[in-house]
Amino acid sequence: MKIIAHVHTDFPTKFGIPRQSNLVKELKGTIVFEPEYRNPDALYGLDGFSHIWLLWQFSENKRSTWSASVRPPRLGGNEYRGVFATRSPFRPNPIGLSSVKLERIEMDPTLGPVLHILGADLMDGTPIYDIKPYLPYTDCHTDATGGFTEVTNAHHLTVEIPESIASVLSSETLSALRGILAQDPRPAYQKDPERIYGLEFAGYEVKFQVDEMNLKVCQIDKIIM
């Protein structure tokens, strides 16, 4: 398959990225097409849709094999489910699927059409295979059931960011960061309340601790390149 574009987000690494799209609606991103696909005609009519589907590559999945059974993080990292009952990156084909909000389409004089999106669960530089419009009359199933995720999706942390620390961030970035941290970015097996975790987001390194269901940010530093 051909890579048609790359997405650019505030996540330079995998750690901290929401486990599903649209969990943190404030997250911004842009999609820049490869030169071969910068023809505006390919996007004619897309601005009439509020949301789009992205088909993308798990480019940081370094495994050459796949697993029939995987351990979803939200189940504590100890219970197994079939790979096709999860969205694990360790699949026969490293293909991801995300539904994101299309904020606007910009016509850049150098890059051609650039898509501005919200709610992306993607690392900076992720390759995009295809883009399709989200169709509410057929893609939205109000009677759908969520399997084991109907229990796990209620997992949210209370986030505390002292004002003296939060003041270095814009209100927009702060709101997005709160949403990311509330989703509990820790590996499922990490439960040590004394451990300090580090997350890179929007050009900052954010350090935090988690005790039970309470997360406290203890430091935010600008990353100097």
Side-chain angles (χ1 to χ4, degrees):
M1 294 202 298
K2 296 180 179 180
I3 293 171
I4 65 166
H6 288 83
V7 66
H8 298 284
T9 69
D10 285 323
F11 291 104
T13 65
K14 292 184 291 182
F15 184 62
I17 297 177
R19 291 179 172 88
Q20 304 294 341
S21 57
N22 273 308
L23 287 178
V24 183
K25 300 183 185 300
E26 298 91 341
L27 291 177
K28 292 190 173 186
T30 56
I31 295 174
V32 177
F33 289 89
E34 292 295 286
E36 182 181 354
Y37 302 101
R38 292 178 182 174
N39 187 337
D41 291 345
L43 299 174
Y44 180 68
L46 188 64
D47 57 354
F49 295 90
S50 64
H51 293 73
I52 55 177
W53 288 108
L54 304 179
L55 292 169
W56 48 275
Q57 180 189 40
F58 281 107
S59 53
E60 294 301 300
N61 178 4
K62 302 302 182 183
R63 290 189 187 180
S64 58
T65 59
W66 69 284
S67 301
S69 297
V70 297
R71 295 181 291 181
R74 279 291 183 259
L75 292 179
N78 295 314
E79 296 186 37
Y80 284 88
R81 294 291 186 274
V83 65
F84 299 131
T86 75
R87 296 189 179 183
S88 166
F90 306 114
R91 323 185 67 79
N93 294 299
I95 299 173
L97 175 69
S98 295
S99 171
V100 298
K101 182 176 178 60
L102 178 61
E103 186 179 31
R104 62 189 174 92
I105 301 175
E106 173 192 5
M107 295 305 299
D108 185 275
T110 302
L111 301 176
V114 175
L115 306 187
H116 290 257
I117 59 175
L118 295 172
D121 55 339
L122 302 169
M123 193 174 79
D124 185 50
T126 295
I128 303 295
Y129 284 137
D130 201 4
I131 296 169
K132 300 178 187 292
Y134 177 95
L135 305 179
Y137 74 89
T138 185
D139 292 344
C140 179
H141 305 282
T142 57
D143 59 342
T145 58
F148 64 86
T149 66
E150 292 188 350
V151 175
T152 60
N153 68 7
H155 182 91
H156 288 86
L157 300 180
T158 299
V159 177
E160 177 186 351
I161 307 178
E163 180 61 33
S164 58
I165 297 176
S167 60
V168 301
L169 303 178
S170 68
S171 59
E172 191 175 65
T173 301
L174 180 61
S175 178
L177 177 61
R178 285 187 181 278
I180 294 164
L181 296 176
Q183 296 295 323
D184 194 355
R186 298 174 300 165
Y189 55 84
Q190 292 288 358
K191 302 296 182 183
D192 182 2
E194 300 299 319
R195 176 162 182 165
I196 297 177
Y197 301 88
L199 179 154
E200 293 184 17
F201 174 68
Y204 291 88
E205 182 179 23
V206 180
K207 295 183 179 179
F208 63 91
Q209 292 177 291
V210 181
D211 187 3
E212 297 294 336
M213 300 298 291
N214 301 301
L215 182 151
K216 182 175 181 179
V217 174
C218 47
Q219 191 173 337
I220 299 179
D221 295 316
K222 183 75 174 178
I223 298 174
I224 307 300
M225 303 301 291

